[in-house]
Amino acid sequence: MTWLKNAWYVAGFKQELDDGKVVGRTFLGTPVVMLKHSDGRIAALEDLCPHRLMPLSAGRRVGDELQCSYHGMRFAVTGLCTLAPGQSQIPAQAAVRTFPLVQRHGLLWIWMGAAERADTALIPDIRWNEHPEWTPSRGYHHLEANFQLSVDNLMDLGHESWVHLRTIGQEDEEVIPNYPVQVTVKDEGLLYAHREMPNIDAPPFFAMVLNHQGKINRWQTAISLAPSICMTDFGVYPVGTSPDDAYRSHVLHLLTPETERSTHYFWSVARNRRLDDDALTQAVCHAIELTFNEDAAVLKVQQAQLEKHGGAVPRVAMKVDEAPIRARRMLQALVKKEADDPAFVYRPPLMIEDTTPALAMG
């Protein structure tokens, strides 16, 4: 599979460019360097000096310009060379490609395709990362696996009972695949996989956030929005209480391909309770780091196995694979449209709906 290029991808958290910081990352196989101008503009340039191909991120910032570490050439945020030491005339070819970069919802968004098609109205609404009614715990993982394996993992929450038993998984009597999942296509590129788990024991993470050791009701929806955003929308509440008072969370999985074998995984876990509890914010962050470390270990092995044995996964499709397979097919269809029609631009559904239990549980 190749990537969908004419689409917005998360490039980082907006505060990463504060205080004159310069950030170098690779997106969709292309090295990029990002910075903020003193006038507030943010910019993304190809991280490659046109002279002898040194990464500009390996140089230093001089005012609002980037200086190459090899021959001291300087480049403005527009990509134009402003200084070529040793000569007064600057060749017209001494310019660096730029990419549209904007801030929205507390995040940096980059467009790696045709710049003239970069419509900011196409940025999905994931407001929970920066919203007064929600408090986020944020972080980042670098995954040594193709981003599509990560999407598979996030759309198949049945693995939680084995990979995440120490954090969010259930014991053998209540393994997640035993609870039926309802898979629904909401729109082109948007898929929901909803599951309800009534009257279950509280896994460690949910016991912590609820401060409750008894039985709970739990619902969770795995959501895939092409090309590479996933969200786990869940709610938990003690048995005998109302779902209206549930601890709710939107877990944003913001996956941006780095290479065919690696992925940037920006995440934000936004909650609706105890908004000013800084200790809880840190505890959630720590717990999620442990949880996603477990995913990262599995995905690294899976990537290595695919490279060793070839082919694709799943080799044998199981019931838990319905949502991952359908999400893959939806993205493949979009990639094919882009390949077949140079004028095609994917227009994703901009609103991801909250989910709730279909029935009051327990």
Side-chain angles (χ1 to χ4, degrees):
M1 159 165 315
T2 56
W3 300 301
L4 192 68
K5 292 187 176 179
N6 288 311
W8 291 103
Y9 290 89
V10 173
F13 296 103
K14 70 175 185 180
Q15 63 270 22
E16 291 186 79
L17 299 185
D18 290 346
D19 303 320
K21 294 175 183 173
V22 174
V23 176
R25 290 193 175 116
T26 295
F27 304 119
L28 280 62
T30 299
V32 172
V33 60
M34 300 178 290
L35 72 159
K36 181 188 290 186
H37 194 279
S38 59
D39 65 10
R41 283 180 293 166
I42 57 174
L45 293 74
E46 187 168 12
D47 196 8
L48 205 65
C49 178
H51 178 215
R52 288 189 172 268
L53 308 184
M54 283 293 289
L56 294 176
S57 60
R60 67 187 184 97
R61 179 171 182 155
V62 179
D64 284 322
E65 298 179 341
L66 295 175
Q67 183 180 71
C68 179
S69 61
Y70 199 178
H71 292 91
M73 294 174 70
R74 293 184 187 175
F75 298 88
V77 295
T78 59
L80 296 178
C81 180
T82 62
L83 175 68
Q87 60 189 77
S88 58
Q89 185 175 3
I90 299 174
Q93 297 86 351
V96 180
R97 180 185 177 191
T98 62
F99 304 90
L101 184 72
V102 299
Q103 293 181 174
R104 186 75 58 85
H105 310 309
L107 299 160
L108 302 171
W109 298 83
I110 195 166
W111 183 279
M112 300 299 294
E116 65 275 12
R117 299 178 190 166
D119 182 356
T120 57
L122 301 180
I123 296 175
D125 180 1
I126 52 172
R127 60 196 177 280
W128 304 282
N129 180 59
E130 191 179 52
H131 192 283
E133 295 178 7
W134 297 84
T135 293
S137 299
R138 305 185 183 101
Y140 169 83
H141 277 67
H142 181 262
L143 302 179
E144 296 180 61
N146 182 280
F147 85 100
Q148 189 63 69
L149 292 177
S150 302
V151 175
D152 290 349
N153 173 270
L154 294 164
M155 292 306 294
D156 161 28
L157 299 180
H159 73 273
E160 290 179 4
S161 296
W162 293 273
V163 177
H164 303 305
L165 189 56
R166 296 181 300 168
T167 51
I168 57 176
Q170 301 294 142
E171 297 287 349
D172 288 347
E173 295 79 9
E174 297 175 339
V175 295
I176 291 173
N178 288 343
Y179 297 84
V181 61
Q182 180 181 1
V183 180
T184 306
V185 176
K186 294 285 187 176
D187 207 332
E188 184 179 44
L190 181 60
L191 184 75
Y192 283 59
H194 181 75
R195 178 181 276 115
E196 298 183 10
M197 304 174 65
N199 198 31
I200 61 173
D201 291 325
F205 177 78
F206 299 115
M208 176 193 72
V209 298
L210 285 174
N211 193 23
H212 174 79
Q213 297 297 326
K215 294 284 186 176
I216 65 169
N217 295 319
R218 172 183 180 183
W219 82 87
Q220 61 186 29
T221 309
I223 301 168
S224 174
L225 177 62
S228 63
I229 290 177
C230 293
M231 184 172 84
T232 308
D233 183 10
F234 75 79
V236 290
Y237 58 101
V239 169
T241 65
S242 170
D244 294 337
D245 298 322
Y247 176 100
R248 297 287 309 277
S249 186
H250 295 290
V251 187
L252 300 170
H253 313 278
L254 311 171
L255 306 165
T256 300
E258 180 183 48
T259 69
E260 291 285 358
R261 297 179 176 86
S262 58
T263 302
H264 297 294
Y265 185 179
F266 306 97
W267 50 266
S268 176
V269 183
R271 67 179 188 274
N272 71 333
R273 292 289 183 269
R274 300 161 62 184
L275 301 184
D276 298 323
D277 189 336
D278 291 337
L280 179 59
T281 299
Q282 294 305 314
V284 170
C285 192
H286 177 67
I288 295 300
E289 284 179 353
L290 294 177
T291 302
F292 293 168
N293 283 343
E294 293 166 338
D295 282 321
V298 170
L299 294 172
K300 180 179 179 179
V301 171
Q302 202 172 26
Q303 179 69 40
Q305 291 291 85
L306 284 171
E307 293 176 13
K308 178 180 179 180
H309 298 288
V313 289
R315 293 288 181 90
V316 178
M318 311 294 284
K319 286 184 177 180
V320 295
D321 294 310
E322 180 184 358
I325 289 174
R326 292 178 74 170
R328 275 184 179 253
R329 288 174 178 170
M330 291 172 73
L331 179 56
Q332 287 169 350
L334 291 170
V335 171
K336 186 176 187 302
K337 283 185 178 181
E338 185 177 77
D340 292 345
D341 180 5
F344 172 76
V345 175
Y346 167 51
R347 298 188 173 275
L350 301 183
M351 179 65 71
I352 301 175
E353 300 172 356
D354 287 348
T355 62
T356 57
L359 300 171
M361 295 184 288

